[in-house]
């Protein structure tokens, strides 16, 4: 299994596909062992580098404290480890927060940037404080979480769609193992709570697509609008769906792929 020593952390990563190089940064609780994965269909169009962030999946759990800057520096160090000078970057939810920091702290590494269902924090609006859900009962946590994923999914909808509730409920990264939070998740949520790039977005200079779902209760549309206003020349596209708009709206992934493919030269083989 491929592991890389990056920024003092052992990161598990996978490379798949061929073409222009694309780094995918996952959301809260992301674990490459989870299925289905957003990065998998992208491998038909790009050479995709996906990884478990510090404290999650098969990567190591470094000692607290660390901050969003550490997650960004991990990503940059992973690029060093696989000999990628620069690449396209797609960040989803928490991964979008990390991707903002990557573009700000390591601008020379990012050719084009997609920020999906995410937030700037601070005056730009924060994503929902998921750490407040951890101590709820499993039943209550599931019900609240589903309505956050898509604000149309109230109790009536949930009772009528149990299969969808089960599928998406397993994908939100707040599950417990043996009654305790998954390793590293508490640290990730704490770092997430401090995320704030609102006053630094103007330093993102690469072509950027901001996208989200019109019914997202975790990263509301107003947060995407703020990001697009704050990043010079950024494009904003909203889709029919919630926090999982990229699987709810068939137009979303093709739009993301088309944006990433614009003007990006082929990468040299590592």
């Amino acid at each position: 299994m491929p592991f890389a020593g990056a920024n003092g952390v052992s990161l598990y990563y996978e490379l798949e596909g061929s073409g222009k190089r694309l780094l995918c940064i996952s959301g809260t609780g992301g674990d490459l062992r989870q299925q289905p994965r957003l990065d998998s269909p992208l491998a038909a169009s790009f050479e995709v580098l996906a990884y478990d962030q510090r404290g999650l999946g098969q990567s190591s759990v470094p000692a607290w404290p660390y901050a969003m800057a550490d997650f960004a520096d991990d990503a940059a160090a992973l690029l060093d480890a696989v000999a990628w000078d620069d690449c396209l970057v797609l960040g989803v939810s928490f991964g979008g927060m990390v991707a903002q920091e990557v573009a700000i702290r390591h601008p020379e590494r990012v050719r084009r940037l997609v920020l999906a269902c995410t937030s700037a924090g601070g005056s730009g609006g924060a994503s929902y404080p998921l750490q407040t859900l951890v101590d709820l009962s499993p039943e209550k946590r599931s019900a609240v979480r589903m309505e956050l994923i898509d604000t149309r999914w109230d109790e009536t909808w949930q009772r009528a769609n149990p299969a969808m509730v089960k599928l998406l409920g397993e994908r939100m990264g707040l599950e417990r193992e043996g009654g305790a939070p998954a390793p590293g998740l508490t640290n990730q949520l704490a770092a997430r709570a401090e995320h704030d790039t609102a006053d630094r977005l103007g330093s993102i200079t690469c072509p950027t697509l901001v996208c989200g779902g019109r019914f997202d209760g975790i990263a509301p549309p107003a947060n995407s609008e703020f990001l697009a206003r704050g990043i010079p020349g950024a494009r904003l596209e909203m889709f029919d769906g919630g926090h999982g708009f990229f699987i709810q709206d068939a137009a979303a992934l093709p739009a993301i792929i088309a944006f990433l493919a614009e003007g990006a030269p082929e990468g040299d083989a590592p």
Side-chain angles (χ1 to χ4, degrees), residues 3 11 30 52 57 66-67 69 81 93 99 117 119 127 143 152 156 159 168 190 200-201 213 223 235 247:
F3 289 87
L11 296 179
D52 290 335
Y66 42 86
S93 193
C117 50
S119 305
S127 291
R152 299 168 295 183
T156 300
R159 286 195 298 270
L168 292 176
R200 297 179 287 145
L201 294 174
N223 295 11
R235 182 187 308 176
I247 60 174

Side-chain angles (χ1 to χ4, degrees), residues 141-232:
R141 185 168 65 246
S142 177
V144 172
R145 185 173 52 194
M146 291 304 298
E147 196 162 353
L148 288 170
I149 294 174
D150 191 310
T151 57
R152 299 168 295 183
W153 295 353
D154 58 13
E155 291 184 9
T156 300
W157 184 93
Q158 292 180 42
R159 286 195 298 270
N161 296 274
M164 184 65 75
V165 170
K166 183 177 186 299
L167 173 65
L168 292 176
E170 292 169 350
R171 299 287 298 151
M172 282 302 296
L174 294 177
E175 302 308 320
R176 298 180 172 214
E177 298 178 359
L185 177 59
T186 298
N187 292 346
Q188 185 189 42
L189 291 172
R192 179 184 183 276
E194 299 300 318
H195 169 68
D196 185 357
T197 60
D199 296 332
R200 297 179 287 145
L201 294 174
S203 65
I204 297 178
T205 57
C206 61
T208 301
L209 171 66
V210 178
C211 50
R214 298 185 183 93
F215 305 99
D216 191 342
I218 295 176
N223 295 11
S224 293
E225 293 164 5
F226 181 92
L227 282 167
R229 288 195 304 270
I231 299 171

Side-chain angles (χ1 to χ4, degrees), residues 27-44:
T28 301
D31 183 334
L32 291 181
R33 293 169 295 188
Q34 294 172 334
Q35 297 294 333
R37 285 167 32 184
L38 174 61
D39 57 285
S40 295
L42 294 170

Side-chain angles (χ1 to χ4, degrees), residues 20 22 46 88-90 112 114 256-262 264:
K20 301 171 178 67
L22 172 63
F46 306 100
L88 310 167
V89 176
L90 166 62
R112 299 178 77 84
V114 175
I256 290 170
I257 290 169
F259 174 83
L260 289 169
E262 289 178 24

